[in-house]
């Protein structure tokens, strides 16, 4: 995590383009010695890399290696002095053989560091049994934390991994082992087969005493040959009792069936391993042959259908990447969307069509697209095809635009050109570009050929602009009959300032309250090509109670409801039975709260009245999360206690009425536990922690137990005897959940000494005894620290602002982001200040640090925007209250 100041870990697009233009990879062999990984005093491991490549037009180049030490370098058999060649994280080479077909062989013998940040080779000690586990995570550019390489996606090579480790460990990589040498000293060396040509960011190594479940997928290919893919599913040994490997392997097989049919290109990577690993920084990573997943998908507590659906969605998303991303790879991170948007869209399609989760598009409309709308309204928004000048910018572009907006736009594309044309374009694209790299133009030409349409205007509008289109309905009504009706599009690209006028194919839904229930009476397909289009089907009709543009959620746009439709929703949304329309309407209401167009109390009243009738637990859970956010961010402080109490009362009622043991009961209980951090539902928290069962069927599992301890701590009721019980609980049931749960709870106590220690721990990345905190520990302590009054926390920010540059310089970008965003002042009280104090400080910092790294400024600009949005919403609610007298 720590690095020497001045090391250049960044890499620019221009540098990468120069290297790709002058260099061809032949092969890369990586030999790692993890045999002493179980010794916590050992900080690094030997990493011996042999790179073979040709160059033309140059006799010099540089290799990337973020190392602990470099012992020796040889170039074509001759030694190179590391003291002269190594500069920071780069190794500069001169005197390369540049003749036609001449292959250079470079051998770099060094040591790399075990990681605690989830970047590179992460090492984890299981609190349950003391066993040591290792795994790698490289995207976008952390393979160089493990071995020396050319770290860019368009220098593909066959990789051969050799890993020495304790002999009883499960050691895996992209390929299958070809040989294991036992050494007689308790260690063994596993030699893996060379991979097909792949990029560095999808190479991987897994090593530890993992539990492994196995299976095989087989199918007959169109040419009559038999394809057999060995499968496994892997997790830490101490989690094996909770691991539903059979379900994961079944989903994997269902996905392989679906994608073989859809893509008509046989899975090329041999085996398919799914490894669930601790302290993972993301949901999953598509390493060919060995996908790594967050361990949060091994459910140690009761899992709702929504959690299972999200896991299945991730399994499908990663599997799409075996083709989109691994087989055909973007040349540089500008076109990251060429894999992520496709994986997000086609992954959801697979979840909806090839698994039991036939409501996958409902969660997509409500939850996934919500992420896109948030990102597209931030000052950091960007076109889907982005301008990524360097690796720091690349790291930050794994965002709501690249994933969710891109996926939503591809869903619109499928509606626009037809699903068959979309599928045929993908098939052509894989055949034309297998094992190589592409840009937008390559996909567009395949799409133009398959659809017979010129895709230029479409792609310019949707892929090269930023900002959210807004859809509205304008009506003229005479004598209760509609005499004119138009669908309107508004919005502005925030980067260029030009009006948004995208082409859309969408449905306009008409709904009426019939016998007390809101129901669809008609839906009409509409093509919108500019700022307005007439809706002739409404002429002469009575005004419907609700008009929903984008009924069916085929396009990407926010909805501006007309006043009649909005009033209908607030009064009757609970009676709307169509899941997709209902989820879309809830999402639109939430967007209005965020935009300060709907007062938070109105949204909260709608949640209390209508959320209970939502049948998809993913949406139900999302609504309760949004309601909590509305209380803590979008309400002025003076209104929060009353709204929190009212919501707690409603959830408690639902808990009482929910079917025992049902998903909704679980989701309601978890939501109530988080709400209880604000001091509500104290007796219920105590009763549950005491093992009472006020709600039959509700199990006090690990997740709920730690949520309750956190509520008790944050609400200031964790007295000495309760603290002793918490510690006894953690000691009796040691686990990853307990470790993080305990850290958050302890940091949440509203005591000055606790806040001081927590703040220091996060800021330095070290605990009280000086040992480095892991990525998850930092986030848990920061989250606990933030639970506290402005009076308790505000003093620390005198220290926060001057530290930012130092944090950025001294930590990896992943860790620095956790610290800076995790500690950003969240006490957003409107107070009596004319200028909000946090706003004044962030503005002061931005003005005073115009030359700070762009990636660091982006984090603060985004936090500033969240705060500004919250303050605007608070003013709306405060004004409504004053207006109401
Ligand atoms: Zn992905």
């Amino acid at each position: 995590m720590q690095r020497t100041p001045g090391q250049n870990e960044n890499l620019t697009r221009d540098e990468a383009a120069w290297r790709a233009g002058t260099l061809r990879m032949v092969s890369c062999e990586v030999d790692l010695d993890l045999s002493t990984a179980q010794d916590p005093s050992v900080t690094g491991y030997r990493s011996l890399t042999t790179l073979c490549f040709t160059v033309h037009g140059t006799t010099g180049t540089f290799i990337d290696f973020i190392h602990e030490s470099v012992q020796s370098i040889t170039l074509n058999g001759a030694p190179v002095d590391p003291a002269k060649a190594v500069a920071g994280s780069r190794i500069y080479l001169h005197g390369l053989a540049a003749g036609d077909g001449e292959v250079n062989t470079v051998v770099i013998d060094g040591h790399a560091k075990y990681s605690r940040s989830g970047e590179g080779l992460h090492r984890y000690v299981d609190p349950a049994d003391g066993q040591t586990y290792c795994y790698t995570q490289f995207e976008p550019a952390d393979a160089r934390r493990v071995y020396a390489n050319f770290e860019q996606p368009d220098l593909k090579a066959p990789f051969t991994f050799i890993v020495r480790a304790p002999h009883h460990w499960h050691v895996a990589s992209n390929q299958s082992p070809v040989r294991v040498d036992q050494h007689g000293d308790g260690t063994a060396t596993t030699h893996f087969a060379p991979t097909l040509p792949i990029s560095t960011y999808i190479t991987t190594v897994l090593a530890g005493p993992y539990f492994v479940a196995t299976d095989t997928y087989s199918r007959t290919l169109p040419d009559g040959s038999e394809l057999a893919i060995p499968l496994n599913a892997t997790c830490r040994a101490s989690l094996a009792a909770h691991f539903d490997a059979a379900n994961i392997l079944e989903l994997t097989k269902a996905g392989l069936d679906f994608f073989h049919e859809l893509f008509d290109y046989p899975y090329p990577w041999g085996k398919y391993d799914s490894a669930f690993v601790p302290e993972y920084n993301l949901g999953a990573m598509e390493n060919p042959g060995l996908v790594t997943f967050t361990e949060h998908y091994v459910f140690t507590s009761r899992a709702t259908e929504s959690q299972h659906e999200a896991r299945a969605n991730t399994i499908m998303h990663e599997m799409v990447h075996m083709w989109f991303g691994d087989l055909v790879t973007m040349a540089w991170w500008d076109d990251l969307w060429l894999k992520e948007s496709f994986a997000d869209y086609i992954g959801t399609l697979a979840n909806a069509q090839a698994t039991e989760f036939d409501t996958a598009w409902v969660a997509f409309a409500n939850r996934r697209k919500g992420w896109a709308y948030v990102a597209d309204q931030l000052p950091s928004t960007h076109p889907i095809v982005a301008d990524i000048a360097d690796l720091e910018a690349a790291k930050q572009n794994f965002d709501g635009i690249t994933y969710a907006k891109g996926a939503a736009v591809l869903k619109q594309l499928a509606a626009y050109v037809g699903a068959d044309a979309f599928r045929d374009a993908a098939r052509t694209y894989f055949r034309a570009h297998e094992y190589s790299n592409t840009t937008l133009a390559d996909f567009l030409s395949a799409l133009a050929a398959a659809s017979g349409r010129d895709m230029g205007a479409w792609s310019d509008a949707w892929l090269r602009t930023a900002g959210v289109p807004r859809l509205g309905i304008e009506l003229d009504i005479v004598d209760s009959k509609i005499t004119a009706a138009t669908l309107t599009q508004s919005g502005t690209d925030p980067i260029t300032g030009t009006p948004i006028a995208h082409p859309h194919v969408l449905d306009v839904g008409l709904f009426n309250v019939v016998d007390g229930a809101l129901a669809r009476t008609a839906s009409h397909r509409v093509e919108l090509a500019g700022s307005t289009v007439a809706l002739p089907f409404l002429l002469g009709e009575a005004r419907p109670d609700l008009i929903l543009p984008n009924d069916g959620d085929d396009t990407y746009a926010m909805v501006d409801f007309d006043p009649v439709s909005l009033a209908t929703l607030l009064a009757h949304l609970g009676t709307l039975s169509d899941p997709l329309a209902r989820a879309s309407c809830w999402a639109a209401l939430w967007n209005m709260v965020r935009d300060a167009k709907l007062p938070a109390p109105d949204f909260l009243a709608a949640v209390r009245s209508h959320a209970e009738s939502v049948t998809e637990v993913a949406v139900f859970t999302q609504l309760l999360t949004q309601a909590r956010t509305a209380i803590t961010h979008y309400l002025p402080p003076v209104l929060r206690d009353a709204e929190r109490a009212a919501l707690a009362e409603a959830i408690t009622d639902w808990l009482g009425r929910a079917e025992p043991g049902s998903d909704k009961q679980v989701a309601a209980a978890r939501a109530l536990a988080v709400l209880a951090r604000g001091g509500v539902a104290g007796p219920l928290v105590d009763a549950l922690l005491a093992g009472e069962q006020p709600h039959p069927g509700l199990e006090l599992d690990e997740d709920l137990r730690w949520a309750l301890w956190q509520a008790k701590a944050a609400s200031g009721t964790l007295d000495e005897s309760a603290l002793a019980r918490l510690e006894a609980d953690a000691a009796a049931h040691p686990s990853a959940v307990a470790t993080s749960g305990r850290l958050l709870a302890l940091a949440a106590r509203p005591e000055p000494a606790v806040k001081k220690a927590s703040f220091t721990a996060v800021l330095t990345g070290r605990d009280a005894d000086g040992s480095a905190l892991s990525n998850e520990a930092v986030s848990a302590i920061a989250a606990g620290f933030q639970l506290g009054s402005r009076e308790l926390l505000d003093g620390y920010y005198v220290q926060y602002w001057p530290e930012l540059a130092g944090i950025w310089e001294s930590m990896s970008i992943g860790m620095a982001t956790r610290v800076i965003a995790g500690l950003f002042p969240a006490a957003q009280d409107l107070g009596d200040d004319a200028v909000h104090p946090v706003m004044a400080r962030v503005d002061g910092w931005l003005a005073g640090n115009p030359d700070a790294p762009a990636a660091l400024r982006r984090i603060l600009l985004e936090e500033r925007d969240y705060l500004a949005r919250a303050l605007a919403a608070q003013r709306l609610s405060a004004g409504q209250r004053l207006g109401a007298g």
Side-chain angles (χ1 to χ4, degrees):
M1 185 194 86
Q2 300 289 335
R3 68 188 196 220
T4 313
Q7 283 194 345
N8 184 6
E9 290 183 8
N10 211 343
L11 174 76
T12 67
R13 177 173 50 200
D14 291 345
E15 289 174 320
W18 172 79
R19 222 164 38 176
T22 55
L23 199 149
R24 289 284 170 279
M25 282 300 295
V26 175
S27 66
C28 179
E29 184 184 280
V30 179
D31 189 341
L32 304 176
D33 184 354
L34 308 180
S35 54
T36 55
Q38 296 169 106
D39 180 349
S41 70
V42 174
T43 55
Y45 51 93
R46 187 181 179 199
S47 168
L48 176 67
T49 308
T50 306
L51 289 156
C52 298
F53 56 93
T54 62
V55 290
H56 54 95
T58 181
T59 56
T61 195
F62 64 93
I63 292 169
D64 305 301
F65 188 29
I66 300 175
H67 53 271
E68 192 169 59
S69 61
V70 176
Q71 271 76 48
S72 71
I73 304 167
T74 63
L75 168 59
N76 298 327
V80 174
D81 182 1
K84 292 185 178 141
V86 179
S89 62
R90 293 183 177 187
I91 297 169
Y92 289 91
L93 297 174
H94 304 284
L96 298 171
D100 221 14
E102 278 189 288
V103 175
N104 292 279
T105 300
V106 177
V107 181
I108 295 160
D109 191 355
H111 275 72
K113 269 189 165 183
Y114 290 108
S115 164
R116 292 299 287 136
S117 72
E119 302 152 295
L121 194 141
H122 191 77
R123 179 170 61 168
Y124 177 83
V125 177
D126 189 333
D129 58 14
Q131 299 269 22
T132 300
Y133 290 89
C134 298
Y135 65 84
T136 61
Q137 169 55 37
F138 292 161
E139 192 178 28
D142 286 324
R144 62 198 168 132
R145 292 182 189 275
V146 176
Y147 61 91
N149 64 62
F150 299 105
E151 188 82 283
Q152 58 190 77
D154 56 349
L155 284 173
K156 290 189 176 186
F159 286 85
T160 304
F161 280 92
I162 301 165
V163 180
R164 183 169 181 173
H167 71 97
H168 65 287
W169 278 17
H170 170 71
V171 180
S173 182
N174 303 87
Q175 267 286 14
S176 298
V178 288
R179 192 176 92 234
V180 179
D181 299 334
Q182 298 291 343
H183 297 296
D185 63 350
T187 70
T189 299
T190 305
H191 299 256
F192 294 93
T195 67
L196 291 161
I198 57 176
S199 309
T200 53
Y201 78 92
I202 47 176
T203 59
T204 192
V205 167
L206 182 80
Y210 286 94
F211 166 83
V212 185
T214 60
D215 203 341
T216 304
Y217 171 83
S218 47
R219 87 183 271 119
T220 305
L221 296 175
D223 66 5
S225 62
E226 292 297 324
L227 178 69
I229 303 173
L231 310 177
N232 80 33
T234 299
C235 71
R236 284 188 287 129
S238 67
L239 292 178
H242 298 287
F243 192 39
D244 48 347
N247 177 261
I248 288 155
L249 294 165
E250 279 312 308
L251 285 165
T252 304
K253 288 195 248 184
L256 286 168
D257 267 340
F258 183 82
F259 294 118
H260 275 96
E261 296 288 332
L262 184 69
F263 294 151
D264 190 33
Y265 188 108
Y267 176 77
W269 307 112
K271 70 185 175 79
Y272 201 106
D273 296 357
S274 301
F276 292 77
V277 298
E279 297 187 321
Y280 203 49
N281 277 337
L282 48 156
M285 183 66 210
E286 68 264 23
N287 314 301
L290 200 177
V291 179
T292 36
F293 292 87
T294 172
E295 205 179 73
H296 297 298
Y297 284 141
V298 179
F299 303 124
T300 58
S301 294
R302 168 79 159 73
T304 63
E305 190 190 350
S306 166
Q307 289 173 279
H308 280 279
E309 178 189 293
R311 181 172 76 180
N313 205 82
T314 304
I315 290 171
M316 297 304 161
H317 174 114
E318 304 310 324
M319 201 177 288
V320 177
H321 280 314
M322 297 298 140
W323 290 266
F324 275 112
D326 294 356
L327 179 64
V328 182
T329 312
M330 71 277 150
W332 180 249
W333 303 103
D334 311 65
D335 278 313
L336 179 59
W337 80 285
L338 272 177
K339 71 182 184 77
E340 293 308 341
S341 304
F342 287 74
D344 235 38
Y345 166 63
I346 303 171
T348 308
L349 186 72
N351 217 21
Q353 295 187 1
T355 76
E356 66 190 274
F357 303 108
D358 52 6
T359 56
W361 289 118
V362 177
F364 183 81
N366 186 268
R367 199 169 49 187
R368 202 66 170 175
K369 284 176 85 166
W371 184 30
Y373 296 131
V374 168
D376 215 0
Q377 291 184 314
L378 286 169
S380 55
T381 190
H382 55 85
I384 292 171
V385 178
D387 176 25
I388 301 301
D390 58 32
L391 283 180
E392 287 194 353
K395 179 102 179 173
Q396 291 187 323
N397 251 33
F398 292 80
D399 61 12
I401 301 297
T402 303
Y403 284 71
K405 181 179 178 181
V409 167
L410 290 177
K411 193 180 184 206
Q412 167 62 196
L413 176 64
Y416 187 75
V417 299
D420 289 353
F422 189 87
R423 177 202 63 203
D424 293 346
R427 290 178 174 182
T428 311
Y429 177 75
F430 297 140
R431 298 280 172 196
H433 303 287
E434 55 186 7
Y435 307 110
S436 66
N437 297 81
T438 54
T439 62
L440 168 64
D442 298 307
F443 185 74
L444 288 183
S445 76
L447 193 61
S451 67
R453 290 196 189 208
D454 174 11
M455 296 307 302
W458 185 92
S459 68
D460 283 350
W462 279 109
L463 304 177
R464 295 197 179 278
T465 66
V468 189
R470 308 191 70 97
L471 299 177
I473 300 286
E474 285 179 6
L475 301 177
D476 288 344
I477 297 179
V478 177
D479 294 337
S480 303
K481 298 284 179 209
I482 297 172
T483 56
T486 49
L487 173 68
T488 64
Q489 176 171 216
S490 60
T492 307
D493 179 336
I495 298 170
T496 62
T498 49
I500 290 174
H502 298 351
H504 300 260
V505 175
L506 59 97
D507 291 336
V508 174
L510 312 179
F511 298 75
N512 283 292
V513 179
V514 181
D515 297 333
L518 186 59
R520 184 188 288 106
T521 43
S523 193
H524 297 269
R525 198 70 160 171
V526 173
E527 284 209 33
L528 172 64
S531 57
T532 62
V533 64
L535 303 175
F537 51 85
L538 279 170
L539 298 181
E541 301 288 325
R543 196 215 179 291
D545 294 326
L546 164 67
I547 304 177
L548 176 62
N550 200 21
D551 188 18
D553 200 44
D554 274 329
T555 198
Y556 173 79
M558 283 186 180
V559 173
D560 288 327
F561 286 115
D562 63 276
V564 173
S565 293
L566 179 60
T568 301
L569 284 175
L570 293 177
H572 300 285
L573 183 47
T575 65
L576 178 58
S577 63
D578 180 274
L580 186 54
R582 185 171 57 205
S584 299
C585 289
W586 275 116
L589 291 181
W590 178 243
N591 284 331
M592 291 179 70
V593 176
R594 292 184 55 256
D595 283 346
K597 291 180 173 175
L598 178 67
D602 292 356
F603 179 79
L604 287 161
V607 169
R608 292 196 301 270
S609 300
H610 305 309
E612 194 186 11
S613 63
V614 172
T615 48
E616 298 68 40
V617 72
V619 180
F620 179 71
T621 304
Q622 182 80 343
L623 287 175
L624 294 183
T625 303
Q626 288 167 347
R628 287 199 309 271
T629 304
I631 291 169
T632 52
H633 289 69
Y634 297 145
L635 277 180
V638 65
L639 298 181
R640 289 179 194 168
D641 285 347
E643 288 286 355
R644 187 182 285 115
L647 184 61
E649 197 183 320
I651 298 176
T652 306
D653 284 350
W654 302 341
L655 259 179
R657 288 199 291 265
E659 192 186 320
S662 64
D663 277 2
K664 269 177 135 169
Q665 189 189 43
V666 172
R670 287 177 184 165
L672 192 60
V674 180
L675 203 61
R677 292 170 174 181
V680 293
L684 181 60
V685 169
D686 285 337
L688 288 167
L689 279 174
E692 294 169 26
Q693 275 221 319
H695 299 290
L698 182 64
E699 210 182 308
L700 186 63
D701 56 29
E702 190 174 52
D703 285 353
L704 183 57
R705 222 170 59 241
W706 283 103
L708 294 168
W709 282 126
Q710 288 158 7
K712 216 165 157 47
S715 59
T717 59
L718 196 70
D719 59 19
E720 231 167 88
S721 84
L723 178 60
R725 281 166 52 222
L726 178 155
E727 293 290 12
D729 186 349
H733 310 284
S735 71
V737 172
T739 300
S740 292
R742 174 179 169 277
L743 287 174
L744 198 162
L746 295 183
R749 292 171 290 168
E751 300 162 22
V754 165
K755 295 301 175 189
K756 184 170 197 289
S758 306
F759 186 80
T760 305
V762 175
L763 208 61
T764 60
R766 298 193 173 265
D767 66 13
D769 69 16
S771 52
L773 292 167
S774 73
N775 48 353
E776 285 205 350
V778 163
S779 289
I781 298 171
F785 170 81
Q786 292 273 18
L787 299 173
S789 63
R790 179 167 155 188
E791 293 71 32
L792 201 55
L793 302 183
D794 210 38
Y796 292 101
Y797 291 104
V798 180
Q799 298 169 49
Y800 172 82
W801 301 100
E803 292 279 354
L804 294 179
I807 294 169
W808 197 258
E809 184 64 29
S810 67
M811 293 181 179
S812 69
I813 184 169
M815 209 64 157
T817 302
R818 280 178 189 260
V819 172
I820 291 168
L823 285 181
F824 188 87
Q828 294 156 336
D829 301 9
L830 198 59
D832 299 325
D833 311 284
V835 177
H836 191 274
V838 178
M839 191 61 89
R841 286 179 191 144
V842 69
D843 282 343
W845 189 91
L846 287 166
N849 294 273
D851 301 326
L856 170 57
R857 285 182 60 86
R858 173 172 171 168
I859 296 171
L860 292 158
L861 284 164
E862 290 182 354
E863 293 293 344
R864 183 197 186 281
D865 195 73
Y866 293 133
L867 177 58
R869 194 166 279 280
L871 294 174
Q874 289 179 27
R875 275 183 222 107
L876 178 72
S877 296
Q880 184 199 41
R881 184 165 174 265
L882 289 175

mmCIF file of all heavy atoms in Angstrom, residues 286 317-318 321 339-340 343 403, ligand 1:
data_model
loop_
_atom_site.group_PDB
_atom_site.id
_atom_site.type_symbol
_atom_site.label_atom_id
_atom_site.label_comp_id
_atom_site.label_asym_id
_atom_site.label_seq_id
_atom_site.Cartn_x
_atom_site.Cartn_y
_atom_site.Cartn_z
ATOM 1 N N GLU A 286 -13.395 -10.994 -14.518
ATOM 2 C CA GLU A 286 -13.605 -11.976 -15.580
ATOM 3 C C GLU A 286 -12.338 -12.662 -16.063
ATOM 4 O O GLU A 286 -12.201 -12.911 -17.261
ATOM 5 C CB GLU A 286 -14.277 -11.270 -16.756
ATOM 6 C CG GLU A 286 -13.389 -10.225 -17.485
ATOM 7 C CD GLU A 286 -13.574 -8.786 -17.038
ATOM 8 O OE1 GLU A 286 -14.037 -8.591 -15.900
ATOM 9 O OE2 GLU A 286 -13.270 -7.871 -17.817
ATOM 10 N N HIS A 317 -22.782 -11.792 -15.972
ATOM 11 C CA HIS A 317 -21.989 -10.644 -16.424
ATOM 12 C C HIS A 317 -20.554 -11.091 -16.721
ATOM 13 O O HIS A 317 -20.004 -10.792 -17.794
ATOM 14 C CB HIS A 317 -22.020 -9.565 -15.330
ATOM 15 C CG HIS A 317 -21.134 -8.376 -15.572
ATOM 16 N ND1 HIS A 317 -21.642 -7.111 -15.786
ATOM 17 C CD2 HIS A 317 -19.781 -8.244 -15.627
ATOM 18 C CE1 HIS A 317 -20.633 -6.268 -15.963
ATOM 19 N NE2 HIS A 317 -19.492 -6.931 -15.869
ATOM 20 N N GLU A 318 -19.947 -11.817 -15.790
ATOM 21 C CA GLU A 318 -18.555 -12.238 -15.992
ATOM 22 C C GLU A 318 -18.437 -13.207 -17.163
ATOM 23 O O GLU A 318 -17.456 -13.188 -17.896
ATOM 24 C CB GLU A 318 -17.995 -12.868 -14.712
ATOM 25 C CG GLU A 318 -18.068 -11.982 -13.468
ATOM 26 C CD GLU A 318 -17.526 -10.585 -13.684
ATOM 27 O OE1 GLU A 318 -16.548 -10.428 -14.429
ATOM 28 O OE2 GLU A 318 -18.108 -9.628 -13.121
ATOM 29 N N HIS A 321 -18.079 -11.659 -20.477
ATOM 30 C CA HIS A 321 -16.719 -11.168 -20.708
ATOM 31 C C HIS A 321 -15.796 -12.216 -21.338
ATOM 32 O O HIS A 321 -14.761 -11.852 -21.905
ATOM 33 C CB HIS A 321 -16.080 -10.724 -19.394
ATOM 34 C CG HIS A 321 -16.496 -9.367 -18.935
ATOM 35 N ND1 HIS A 321 -16.552 -8.281 -19.766
ATOM 36 C CD2 HIS A 321 -16.857 -8.902 -17.703
ATOM 37 C CE1 HIS A 321 -16.925 -7.221 -19.067
ATOM 38 N NE2 HIS A 321 -17.121 -7.574 -17.823
ATOM 39 N N LYS A 339 -16.564 -3.639 -23.361
ATOM 40 C CA LYS A 339 -16.779 -4.875 -22.622
ATOM 41 C C LYS A 339 -17.787 -4.696 -21.486
ATOM 42 O O LYS A 339 -18.648 -5.539 -21.294
ATOM 43 C CB LYS A 339 -15.469 -5.479 -22.124
ATOM 44 C CG LYS A 339 -14.762 -4.747 -21.004
ATOM 45 C CD LYS A 339 -13.452 -5.466 -20.672
ATOM 46 C CE LYS A 339 -12.725 -4.864 -19.497
ATOM 47 N NZ LYS A 339 -13.311 -5.219 -18.196
ATOM 48 N N GLU A 340 -17.708 -3.577 -20.733
ATOM 49 C CA GLU A 340 -18.555 -3.474 -19.537
ATOM 50 C C GLU A 340 -20.035 -3.237 -19.849
ATOM 51 O O GLU A 340 -20.910 -3.814 -19.232
ATOM 52 C CB GLU A 340 -18.015 -2.398 -18.594
ATOM 53 C CG GLU A 340 -16.674 -2.735 -17.968
ATOM 54 C CD GLU A 340 -16.628 -4.102 -17.297
ATOM 55 O OE1 GLU A 340 -17.691 -4.667 -16.992
ATOM 56 O OE2 GLU A 340 -15.513 -4.624 -17.116
ATOM 57 N N ALA A 343 -21.360 -6.518 -21.136
ATOM 58 C CA ALA A 343 -21.504 -7.532 -20.089
ATOM 59 C C ALA A 343 -22.709 -7.212 -19.209
ATOM 60 O O ALA A 343 -23.449 -8.113 -18.802
ATOM 61 C CB ALA A 343 -20.229 -7.605 -19.260
ATOM 62 N N TYR A 403 -20.864 1.199 -17.016
ATOM 63 C CA TYR A 403 -21.630 -0.026 -16.805
ATOM 64 C C TYR A 403 -23.117 0.188 -17.109
ATOM 65 O O TYR A 403 -23.654 -0.313 -18.089
ATOM 66 C CB TYR A 403 -21.476 -0.507 -15.356
ATOM 67 C CG TYR A 403 -20.155 -1.174 -15.076
ATOM 68 C CD1 TYR A 403 -18.975 -0.431 -15.023
ATOM 69 C CD2 TYR A 403 -20.080 -2.535 -14.844
ATOM 70 C CE1 TYR A 403 -17.764 -1.038 -14.750
ATOM 71 C CE2 TYR A 403 -18.867 -3.160 -14.570
ATOM 72 C CZ TYR A 403 -17.713 -2.393 -14.527
ATOM 73 O OH TYR A 403 -16.508 -3.003 -14.266
HETATM 74 ZN ZN1 LIG B 1 -17.493 -6.440 -16.135
#
